[in-house]
Amino acid sequence: MIVVLSGPSASGKDAVAGRILSDHPDRVALALTATTRPPRPGEDDGAQYHFLTPEAFDGMESTGQLLESATVYGFRYGVPRASVRAALDRAPVALLKTDVQGARSIRALIPQALLIFLTVPALAALEGRMRSRGGLDEAAITRRLREAQGEMERRAEFDYAVMNADGTLDAAVDSVWSIIQREAARPERRPVGL
């Protein structure tokens, strides 16, 4: 089964996915995204992302190696087909973390994919998280909050929306895992061809 975890910047995709992966390593494997953005401190190629040059990304895109691709905040992101296949070889559930437009692209290509949207009670929560994790200037925060507003309005395009309010990470993780377990039992969720 392919599970797409999406939501606005700072909604908690990395935190929720990290917990799901560490709590259920025999059931869920991460399909790494490729990106042209530089690694953040503590990130390593092949661990959190496949960090690529723009030229290497173009090569993957032009040869059909990417399931989807998009430009987000000035950098390109895409899910390599090989990454999804490798995740499904390791576990029955391949977990993908994408932005909202990436989730829409995956749904068009793989209708049986399960799309889960992480949301927060208000944009102020996202702003607080963006500021606390650092690394963004005021212009970047403003741009991300403006984008988040539009993304929040598209949550109806997802199969499920899960609240990830401050202090409720455990509840969000439990909700996402319950959804995955319930949906994994449905035969129509099994992926066909990548």
Side-chain angles (χ1 to χ4, degrees):
M1 180 170 77
I2 296 172
V3 176
V4 178
L5 187 62
S6 191
S9 179
S11 61
K13 294 181 294 289
D14 290 334
V16 171
R19 285 276 302 280
I20 295 287
L21 292 162
S22 67
D23 291 352
H24 308 283
D26 57 330
R27 302 275 309 137
V28 183
L30 181 65
L32 288 180
T33 297
T35 182
T36 60
R37 82 159 169 79
R40 294 177 183 144
E43 289 182 331
D44 297 308
D45 184 50
Q48 294 81 15
Y49 289 93
H50 294 295
F51 294 101
L52 303 176
T53 65
E55 296 77 21
F57 193 97
D58 288 344
M60 289 185 76
E61 189 171 45
S62 67
T63 57
Q65 295 178 56
L66 298 177
L67 193 56
E68 61 84 28
S69 65
T71 300
V72 182
Y73 308 122
F75 297 106
R76 298 176 66 203
Y77 292 81
V79 177
R81 291 175 189 274
S83 184
V84 177
R85 284 191 291 266
L88 287 171
D89 286 345
R90 294 190 313 272
V93 176
L95 181 63
L96 289 67
K97 296 181 297 176
T98 70
D99 69 311
V100 172
Q101 57 184 314
R104 176 185 272 180
S105 296
I106 291 169
R107 169 57 50 86
L109 290 171
I110 307 171
Q112 65 273 32
L114 172 63
L115 275 56
I116 302 173
F117 186 86
L118 283 181
T119 187
V120 295
L123 288 178
L126 294 178
E127 181 178 2
R129 291 176 187 181
M130 287 178 202
R131 291 186 186 285
S132 68
R133 72 181 182 191
L136 298 173
D137 61 23
E138 285 301 314
I141 290 172
T142 299
R143 185 177 70 237
R144 287 178 183 229
L145 288 172
R146 187 173 42 251
E147 183 71 24
Q149 178 65 46
E151 290 174 333
M152 299 283 270
E153 293 168 0
R154 293 174 52 194
R155 68 179 155 200
E157 298 174 16
F158 289 75
D159 299 305
Y160 294 90
V162 172
M163 181 63 65
N164 187 23
D166 289 339
T168 65
L169 179 62
D170 289 341
V173 169
D174 290 346
S175 292
V176 169
W177 180 243
S178 292
I179 291 166
I180 291 171
Q181 287 182 294
R182 183 170 52 251
E183 292 291 324
R186 297 178 59 193
E188 63 268 26
R189 289 290 182 200
R190 292 192 178 84
V192 288
L194 293 175

